[in-house]
Amino acid sequence: AQTVTQSQPEMSVQEAETVTLSCTYDTSESNYYLFWYKQPPSRQMILVIRQEAYKQQNATENRFSVNFQKAAKSFSLKISDSQLGDTAMYFCAFMRPSYNNNDMRFGAGTRLTVKP
Amino acid sequence: DVKVTQSSRYLVKRTGEKVFLECVQDMDHENMFWYRQDPGLGLRLIYFSYDVKMKEKGDIPEGYSVSREKKERFSLILESASTNQTSMYLCASSLFSFGTNEKLFFGSGTQLSVL
């Protein structure tokens, strides 16, 4: 079974600074997908960024980027120019696609607080 | 935009009650999921369904059952609610795809308190 580990339960960062959230995972699969989801106080889970394991290039979405190290099974999220609206729970997730389902497995989450 | 709607945002029930949590998606997705979210544990998969009347157990199915009579609706049932089922419940859906655009769309969650 796949496991996802987020070792930082809580983090804080000053507005406009950069922060990196860590995630490691364990799998024997070669083809899979990794995700970072954001859950603000509204509780709506929002997809931040998605990485396909077969792509060596790290995914980037505006201020959000990942450092994907496949051999090390590491998938960290970097948030640049942090904004107050980035305050949320962040979940790292792993998905192994199959023909009849795409169930996703999550880490325990990191609570990020952006301070003014 | 894809919309996944959970019928209740907050729910308070008594121990032993039968509880129904409803989820509806409007994008004709084949896959639907129920997760439970607890502090320090993240999201854990309870059940999922990849087609009408089809269901598969996730990691923590004990004490729960599900129903999918129509493609757009996926219900989570607590046959006899217990206090250890107090939690946030998240419904999600996704397309049946393979190697194209996998991702989950989530509802806003139901915070269930069992007293």
PDB file of all heavy atoms in Angstrom, chain A residues 11-17 81-87 112-116:
ATOM      1  N   MET A  11       3.543  25.068  10.216  1.00  0.00           N
ATOM      2  CA  MET A  11       4.614  25.964   9.790  1.00  0.00           C
ATOM      3  C   MET A  11       4.053  27.380   9.725  1.00  0.00           C
ATOM      4  O   MET A  11       2.843  27.577   9.574  1.00  0.00           O
ATOM      5  CB  MET A  11       5.148  25.568   8.419  1.00  0.00           C
ATOM      6  CG  MET A  11       5.892  24.243   8.402  1.00  0.00           C
ATOM      7  SD  MET A  11       6.767  23.989   6.867  1.00  0.00           S
ATOM      8  CE  MET A  11       8.114  25.157   7.052  1.00  0.00           C
ATOM      9  N   SER A  12       4.959  28.340   9.822  1.00  0.00           N
ATOM     10  CA  SER A  12       4.537  29.727   9.659  1.00  0.00           C
ATOM     11  C   SER A  12       5.579  30.451   8.812  1.00  0.00           C
ATOM     12  O   SER A  12       6.749  30.043   8.747  1.00  0.00           O
ATOM     13  CB  SER A  12       4.362  30.418  11.011  1.00  0.00           C
ATOM     14  OG  SER A  12       5.590  30.472  11.686  1.00  0.00           O
ATOM     15  N   VAL A  13       5.134  31.519   8.164  1.00  0.00           N
ATOM     16  CA  VAL A  13       6.024  32.289   7.285  1.00  0.00           C
ATOM     17  C   VAL A  13       5.547  33.736   7.289  1.00  0.00           C
ATOM     18  O   VAL A  13       4.349  34.003   7.441  1.00  0.00           O
ATOM     19  CB  VAL A  13       6.025  31.697   5.864  1.00  0.00           C
ATOM     20  CG1 VAL A  13       4.650  31.770   5.231  1.00  0.00           C
ATOM     21  CG2 VAL A  13       7.068  32.359   4.973  1.00  0.00           C
ATOM     22  N   GLN A  14       6.461  34.632   7.126  1.00  0.00           N
ATOM     23  CA  GLN A  14       6.104  36.041   7.016  1.00  0.00           C
ATOM     24  C   GLN A  14       5.598  36.321   5.600  1.00  0.00           C
ATOM     25  O   GLN A  14       6.083  35.742   4.618  1.00  0.00           O
ATOM     26  CB  GLN A  14       7.292  36.940   7.312  1.00  0.00           C
ATOM     27  CG  GLN A  14       7.753  36.941   8.766  1.00  0.00           C
ATOM     28  CD  GLN A  14       6.705  37.485   9.720  1.00  0.00           C
ATOM     29  OE1 GLN A  14       6.405  36.881  10.736  1.00  0.00           O
ATOM     30  NE2 GLN A  14       6.129  38.625   9.366  1.00  0.00           N
ATOM     31  N   GLU A  15       4.647  37.211   5.537  1.00  0.00           N
ATOM     32  CA  GLU A  15       4.114  37.634   4.248  1.00  0.00           C
ATOM     33  C   GLU A  15       5.265  38.062   3.340  1.00  0.00           C
ATOM     34  O   GLU A  15       6.222  38.709   3.788  1.00  0.00           O
ATOM     35  CB  GLU A  15       3.155  38.805   4.473  1.00  0.00           C
ATOM     36  CG  GLU A  15       2.248  39.125   3.318  1.00  0.00           C
ATOM     37  CD  GLU A  15       1.238  40.207   3.679  1.00  0.00           C
ATOM     38  OE1 GLU A  15       1.332  40.774   4.786  1.00  0.00           O
ATOM     39  OE2 GLU A  15       0.358  40.479   2.851  1.00  0.00           O
ATOM     40  N   ALA A  16       5.172  37.671   2.065  1.00  0.00           N
ATOM     41  CA  ALA A  16       6.144  37.986   1.010  1.00  0.00           C
ATOM     42  C   ALA A  16       7.386  37.087   1.025  1.00  0.00           C
ATOM     43  O   ALA A  16       8.183  37.148   0.091  1.00  0.00           O
ATOM     44  CB  ALA A  16       6.577  39.439   1.038  1.00  0.00           C
ATOM     45  N   GLU A  17       7.541  36.271   2.047  1.00  0.00           N
ATOM     46  CA  GLU A  17       8.689  35.373   2.076  1.00  0.00           C
ATOM     47  C   GLU A  17       8.346  34.036   1.426  1.00  0.00           C
ATOM     48  O   GLU A  17       7.219  33.793   1.012  1.00  0.00           O
ATOM     49  CB  GLU A  17       9.167  35.178   3.520  1.00  0.00           C
ATOM     50  CG  GLU A  17       9.750  36.458   4.097  1.00  0.00           C
ATOM     51  CD  GLU A  17      10.374  36.242   5.460  1.00  0.00           C
ATOM     52  OE1 GLU A  17      10.175  35.171   6.055  1.00  0.00           O
ATOM     53  OE2 GLU A  17      11.054  37.175   5.928  1.00  0.00           O
ATOM     54  N   ASP A  81       6.725  34.383  -2.373  1.00  0.00           N
ATOM     55  CA  ASP A  81       5.950  35.611  -2.161  1.00  0.00           C
ATOM     56  C   ASP A  81       4.639  35.286  -1.422  1.00  0.00           C
ATOM     57  O   ASP A  81       3.538  35.590  -1.887  1.00  0.00           O
ATOM     58  CB  ASP A  81       5.660  36.279  -3.504  1.00  0.00           C
ATOM     59  CG  ASP A  81       4.990  37.626  -3.365  1.00  0.00           C
ATOM     60  OD1 ASP A  81       5.152  38.274  -2.318  1.00  0.00           O
ATOM     61  OD2 ASP A  81       4.264  38.020  -4.305  1.00  0.00           O
ATOM     62  N   SER A  82       4.769  34.667  -0.276  1.00  0.00           N
ATOM     63  CA  SER A  82       3.592  34.194   0.475  1.00  0.00           C
ATOM     64  C   SER A  82       2.597  35.319   0.720  1.00  0.00           C
ATOM     65  O   SER A  82       2.972  36.463   1.025  1.00  0.00           O
ATOM     66  CB  SER A  82       4.039  33.607   1.821  1.00  0.00           C
ATOM     67  OG  SER A  82       4.861  32.489   1.634  1.00  0.00           O
ATOM     68  N   GLN A  83       1.329  34.965   0.602  1.00  0.00           N
ATOM     69  CA  GLN A  83       0.250  35.911   0.824  1.00  0.00           C
ATOM     70  C   GLN A  83      -0.642  35.436   1.961  1.00  0.00           C
ATOM     71  O   GLN A  83      -0.696  34.255   2.261  1.00  0.00           O
ATOM     72  CB  GLN A  83      -0.563  36.069  -0.464  1.00  0.00           C
ATOM     73  CG  GLN A  83       0.263  36.568  -1.638  1.00  0.00           C
ATOM     74  CD  GLN A  83      -0.518  36.621  -2.932  1.00  0.00           C
ATOM     75  OE1 GLN A  83      -1.695  36.262  -2.998  1.00  0.00           O
ATOM     76  NE2 GLN A  83       0.147  37.086  -3.990  1.00  0.00           N
ATOM     77  N   LEU A  84      -1.350  36.377   2.576  1.00  0.00           N
ATOM     78  CA  LEU A  84      -2.222  36.023   3.700  1.00  0.00           C
ATOM     79  C   LEU A  84      -3.239  34.956   3.285  1.00  0.00           C
ATOM     80  O   LEU A  84      -3.608  34.090   4.091  1.00  0.00           O
ATOM     81  CB  LEU A  84      -2.930  37.263   4.243  1.00  0.00           C
ATOM     82  CG  LEU A  84      -2.030  38.344   4.831  1.00  0.00           C
ATOM     83  CD1 LEU A  84      -2.848  39.549   5.275  1.00  0.00           C
ATOM     84  CD2 LEU A  84      -1.199  37.804   5.994  1.00  0.00           C
ATOM     85  N   GLY A  85      -3.676  34.987   2.052  1.00  0.00           N
ATOM     86  CA  GLY A  85      -4.643  34.009   1.561  1.00  0.00           C
ATOM     87  C   GLY A  85      -4.081  32.611   1.388  1.00  0.00           C
ATOM     88  O   GLY A  85      -4.826  31.668   1.123  1.00  0.00           O
ATOM     89  N   ASP A  86      -2.775  32.475   1.566  1.00  0.00           N
ATOM     90  CA  ASP A  86      -2.176  31.135   1.495  1.00  0.00           C
ATOM     91  C   ASP A  86      -2.338  30.389   2.813  1.00  0.00           C
ATOM     92  O   ASP A  86      -2.024  29.198   2.895  1.00  0.00           O
ATOM     93  CB  ASP A  86      -0.682  31.244   1.150  1.00  0.00           C
ATOM     94  CG  ASP A  86      -0.450  31.811  -0.245  1.00  0.00           C
ATOM     95  OD1 ASP A  86      -1.333  31.660  -1.110  1.00  0.00           O
ATOM     96  OD2 ASP A  86       0.629  32.413  -0.451  1.00  0.00           O
ATOM     97  N   THR A  87      -2.779  31.066   3.842  1.00  0.00           N
ATOM     98  CA  THR A  87      -3.021  30.406   5.133  1.00  0.00           C
ATOM     99  C   THR A  87      -4.059  29.309   4.957  1.00  0.00           C
ATOM    100  O   THR A  87      -5.181  29.559   4.513  1.00  0.00           O
ATOM    101  CB  THR A  87      -3.495  31.429   6.176  1.00  0.00           C
ATOM    102  OG1 THR A  87      -2.430  32.327   6.468  1.00  0.00           O
ATOM    103  CG2 THR A  87      -3.948  30.734   7.455  1.00  0.00           C
ATOM    104  N   LEU A 112      -0.312  25.735   7.503  1.00  0.00           N
ATOM    105  CA  LEU A 112       0.546  26.884   7.204  1.00  0.00           C
ATOM    106  C   LEU A 112      -0.157  28.166   7.613  1.00  0.00           C
ATOM    107  O   LEU A 112      -1.314  28.396   7.242  1.00  0.00           O
ATOM    108  CB  LEU A 112       0.882  26.932   5.707  1.00  0.00           C
ATOM    109  CG  LEU A 112       1.692  28.140   5.257  1.00  0.00           C
ATOM    110  CD1 LEU A 112       3.101  28.092   5.849  1.00  0.00           C
ATOM    111  CD2 LEU A 112       1.751  28.234   3.736  1.00  0.00           C
ATOM    112  N   THR A 113       0.572  28.986   8.350  1.00  0.00           N
ATOM    113  CA  THR A 113       0.065  30.310   8.731  1.00  0.00           C
ATOM    114  C   THR A 113       0.984  31.361   8.126  1.00  0.00           C
ATOM    115  O   THR A 113       2.201  31.330   8.343  1.00  0.00           O
ATOM    116  CB  THR A 113       0.031  30.480  10.256  1.00  0.00           C
ATOM    117  OG1 THR A 113      -0.799  29.454  10.819  1.00  0.00           O
ATOM    118  CG2 THR A 113      -0.514  31.840  10.631  1.00  0.00           C
ATOM    119  N   VAL A 114       0.403  32.279   7.385  1.00  0.00           N
ATOM    120  CA  VAL A 114       1.150  33.397   6.822  1.00  0.00           C
ATOM    121  C   VAL A 114       0.902  34.615   7.705  1.00  0.00           C
ATOM    122  O   VAL A 114      -0.249  35.032   7.881  1.00  0.00           O
ATOM    123  CB  VAL A 114       0.746  33.677   5.371  1.00  0.00           C
ATOM    124  CG1 VAL A 114       1.544  34.846   4.823  1.00  0.00           C
ATOM    125  CG2 VAL A 114       0.947  32.432   4.510  1.00  0.00           C
ATOM    126  N   LYS A 115       1.974  35.162   8.243  1.00  0.00           N
ATOM    127  CA  LYS A 115       1.851  36.271   9.198  1.00  0.00           C
ATOM    128  C   LYS A 115       2.096  37.611   8.514  1.00  0.00           C
ATOM    129  O   LYS A 115       2.997  37.724   7.677  1.00  0.00           O
ATOM    130  CB  LYS A 115       2.866  36.077  10.328  1.00  0.00           C
ATOM    131  CG  LYS A 115       2.633  34.810  11.130  1.00  0.00           C
ATOM    132  CD  LYS A 115       3.672  34.651  12.222  1.00  0.00           C
ATOM    133  CE  LYS A 115       3.401  33.394  13.036  1.00  0.00           C
ATOM    134  NZ  LYS A 115       4.431  33.201  14.104  1.00  0.00           N
ATOM    135  N   PRO A 116       1.310  38.608   8.864  1.00  0.00           N
ATOM    136  CA  PRO A 116       1.488  39.934   8.222  1.00  0.00           C
ATOM    137  C   PRO A 116       2.717  40.656   8.756  1.00  0.00           C
ATOM    138  O   PRO A 116       3.251  40.316   9.799  1.00  0.00           O
ATOM    139  CB  PRO A 116       0.211  40.685   8.624  1.00  0.00           C
ATOM    140  CG  PRO A 116      -0.294  39.992   9.831  1.00  0.00           C
ATOM    141  CD  PRO A 116       0.150  38.557   9.765  1.00  0.00           C
TER     142      PRO A 116
END
